[in-house]
Amino acid sequence: MKSRSMRFVWVLVALCLVSTACGKGKGSAKAAGGKTASGGEAPANGAEPGAGEDGPAASGETPDDKTASGPDAPKANGKVQTAKPTSPWGSPDADKGKPLPARKALSGSAKSSYEQGVAAARSGNIGAARQAFEAALKANSSSYQALYALGVLADREGKESQALDYYHRALRVQPDYELAAQGIVVINVRQGQPDKALAFIEPLANQWERNLALQAAYADLLTQMGKPEDAILVARKALRRDERNVPAMTSLVRANLRAGRLELADSILDQALAVDDKQAELHYFRGKRLLDEGRIADAITSFRKAVDLDPDFAEARMDLGLRLLAGANYAEALTQFQTVEKLSPKLVEVHLALGDAYRSTKQWDKAKTSFDKALRMKNDMPQAHYNLALMYLTAGAEFPGMDLLTSLAKAKEEFGIYRSMMGSKLRRDDDSSTYLDDIDKIVAREQKRIERDKKKAAQDAERAARPAAEGDKK
């Protein structure tokens, strides 16, 4: 199982089922964790950046590799010695720090039960997956993999306290287990407690400084908290241990983007893709950058690549769905949002998007259910009321249990709530004004139509009554 640490949307930890296959966590975090992300500086290839704030590293420059040569180069036996290129991140310190605790592989019935749980989760049979993971834990109480898996399942069901308990239990078994640590951080951030998340991850990352996945998770949180320069230092320190560590490079991408160093972020992203182009998060970042450049079709291609590489990548699916929705590919957008809802049921944004996709496919009841759910999760969302207004306006008389005037009245009410909640943030050219004008015009036309119909019905009834009356006179 795997997860990525922090992302800008901060979605739930997804139940991915690959990188922590039994017994593959070695001490080095290079292969031990799932994807992490956040950002900083990454010289392409080059000499060691200067130690001071004004050195190449601080300025974002990426010096070329240099070797010593020329008349002043050191010599041995009359021959010029070529200096070994130094790390672009500083002096290597891979052997520094406390050795990481060993990770024991699962075996016997615990291993087979865990693998059954993985297969069941992949097929969407969550009940069977839970039973299998519990069986693995019963067979081996030290199965931190099963504890983590049970935590993810609980998190997806909205049982955050239970998920945290499982994650902490996993850490008690495997003290440097980065996936459990990431799960704890994500829940704390989601609950609006980033400081609590920092108080948890910082000492853990410092204790197990050789675990580079933990370092990336720490850097990601710092970036999310608006401290990209601090994140840069953490990620650079990780890269001094392994300059090809993709999670740390991804963290640098995040921090540089947050710091506005776009060209440097792009350069690091290219380097990371050159190291490993099978990392879904790298393609996701590429898609985000392509969006910034207005290259929508290319961005969609990158998001698709990210989803293909990691089907449980909720954030990539979310962005892909939003672009598809904007491009009127409503059916596929709906499919993407439905999957995200399963992966991240507490992500309020997905319920807004899901409601919009249902509205676009004229599934009015489901659209309203999604919008109402978003408002129950967060009641101070003007956008939800705006979306509800559009739904009623679009549906008109098609909305179940409503005639046109009733539906338009609901649309007008929701637009009013939206405008009131926006307050001073409402722009003069906000299109809700146009919609409200349109509603008034449609209402006026509908009322006239109703009056005409009533008048015509009365005239028809009067004409029908005349022959009968004349017959009675005869």
Side-chain angles (χ1 to χ4, degrees):
M1 306 188 61
K2 65 183 178 180
S3 90
R4 57 199 61 85
S5 59
M6 314 307 297
R7 294 196 173 117
F8 295 130
V9 183
W10 297 94
V11 298
L12 283 172
V13 180
L15 181 60
C16 304
L17 305 161
V18 180
S19 68
T20 51
C22 305
K24 291 197 177 178
K26 286 188 176 178
S28 170
K30 180 177 180 180
K35 294 180 273 298
T36 60
S38 178
E41 311 172 38
N45 294 304
E48 179 177 346
E53 288 300 318
D54 297 327
S59 65
E61 296 176 4
T62 58
D64 294 324
D65 279 332
K66 294 181 176 66
T67 56
S69 61
D72 297 324
K75 299 180 180 180
N77 298 324
K79 296 182 179 180
V80 175
Q81 287 185 314
T82 301
K84 184 179 179 180
T86 56
S87 166
W89 312 109
S91 300
D93 55 1
D95 295 330
K96 295 181 180 179
K98 184 178 180 180
L100 298 179
R103 298 196 176 186
K104 296 181 180 180
L106 290 177
S107 60
S109 62
K111 179 180 179 181
S112 60
S113 293
Y114 179 80
E115 290 174 345
Q116 289 170 15
V118 168
R122 281 176 174 161
S123 65
N125 191 340
I126 303 304
R130 182 180 295 104
Q131 291 180 355
F133 292 138
E134 289 173 346
L137 192 58
K138 185 176 181 181
N140 182 353
S141 60
S142 296
S143 173
Y144 59 90
Q145 303 96 326
L147 285 166
Y148 170 74
L150 288 167
V152 173
L153 295 181
D155 204 357
R156 286 190 178 182
E157 294 175 337
K159 302 174 182 177
E160 293 178 335
S161 296
Q162 188 180 98
L164 286 171
D165 179 63
Y166 278 123
Y167 294 151
H168 281 292
R169 287 172 62 186
L171 277 172
R172 286 196 290 272
V173 175
Q174 186 63 46
D176 71 325
Y177 192 35
E178 62 284 334
L179 298 186
Q182 291 165 10
I184 292 168
V185 168
V186 168
I187 290 177
N188 285 332
V189 171
R190 186 199 307 140
Q191 292 178 340
Q193 304 180 84
D195 290 336
K196 184 176 180 180
L198 183 62
F200 162 75
I201 195 67
E202 183 175 21
L204 192 68
N206 290 337
Q207 180 182 8
W208 305 111
E209 58 182 292
R210 292 192 187 188
N211 187 322
L212 303 193
L214 281 178
Q215 307 311 310
Y218 178 26
D220 291 347
L221 178 58
L222 289 170
T223 298
Q224 169 65 13
M225 295 178 71
K227 302 176 180 180
E229 301 303 330
D230 291 341
I232 288 170
L233 296 177
V234 173
R236 283 171 54 84
K237 184 178 178 181
L239 285 164
R240 286 202 298 270
R241 293 180 179 273
D242 177 6
E243 64 184 32
R244 292 170 62 83
N245 183 265
V246 172
M249 294 174 78
T250 309
S251 292
L252 292 175
V253 172
R254 280 192 181 277
N256 274 317
L257 289 175
R258 184 66 181 262
R261 300 170 185 150
L262 304 185
E263 291 185 4
L264 183 54
D266 288 340
S267 175
I268 303 165
L269 184 55
D270 289 339
Q271 295 172 59
L273 283 166
V275 173
D276 186 359
D277 67 353
K278 301 300 181 184
Q279 292 294 321
E281 194 149 16
L282 297 178
H283 292 280
Y284 170 73
F285 273 117
R286 176 65 77 213
K288 297 291 281 186
R289 292 292 295 125
L290 289 167
L291 276 184
D292 292 340
E293 296 170 5
R295 297 166 59 183
I296 307 301
D298 291 335
I300 289 175
T301 298
S302 290
F303 292 143
R304 286 193 191 279
K305 179 68 173 178
V307 171
D308 287 344
L309 288 168
D310 182 358
D312 284 352
F313 195 161
E315 193 170 4
R317 284 189 179 275
M318 187 74 180
D319 273 292
L320 175 58
L322 289 172
R323 300 328 309 171
L324 293 170
L325 189 66
N329 191 342
Y330 303 132
E332 188 179 355
L334 177 59
T335 298
Q336 297 297 334
F337 296 141
Q338 287 171 332
T339 302
V340 176
E341 184 188 27
K342 294 177 182 178
L343 294 170
S344 304
K346 286 204 168 184
L347 181 63
V348 64
E349 290 84 0
V350 74
H351 298 291
L352 282 177
L354 194 55
D356 239 8
Y358 280 130
R359 175 184 65 81
S360 299
T361 53
K362 298 186 177 183
Q363 300 182 63
W364 312 117
D365 280 338
K366 291 182 178 180
K368 186 175 186 305
T369 297
S370 293
F371 293 140
D372 288 346
K373 187 170 185 177
L375 283 169
R376 285 196 300 272
M377 294 171 67
K378 186 179 179 182
N379 59 15
D380 58 341
M381 282 196 305
Q383 188 62 42
H385 292 284
Y386 180 92
N387 290 0
L388 276 166
L390 277 184
M391 177 196 69
Y392 287 120
L393 177 58
T394 306
E398 294 181 13
F399 198 91
M402 294 187 183
D403 58 23
L404 178 58
L405 288 178
T406 303
S407 184
L408 292 175
K410 290 292 292 182
K412 191 169 185 176
E413 177 186 350
E414 293 294 341
F415 275 131
I417 296 173
Y418 160 74
R419 293 175 64 85
S420 176
M421 292 181 73
M422 289 294 291
S424 60
K425 297 179 182 179
L426 191 71
R427 294 170 48 180
R428 289 186 177 182
D429 60 348
D430 189 279
D431 56 10
S432 61
S433 297
T434 302
Y435 284 130
L436 285 169
D437 289 342
D438 290 343
I439 288 172
D440 288 340
K441 292 175 183 177
I442 296 171
V443 167
R445 287 198 300 268
E446 180 65 7
Q447 288 175 337
K448 289 180 179 179
R449 184 194 65 78
I450 292 173
E451 288 299 318
R452 287 197 304 270
D453 289 348
K454 285 182 178 179
K455 186 175 181 179
K456 184 175 182 301
Q459 291 173 343
D460 290 344
E462 183 180 351
R463 283 195 293 270
R466 285 174 185 168
E470 292 174 356
D472 289 342
K473 290 179 181 180
K474 293 180 180 179

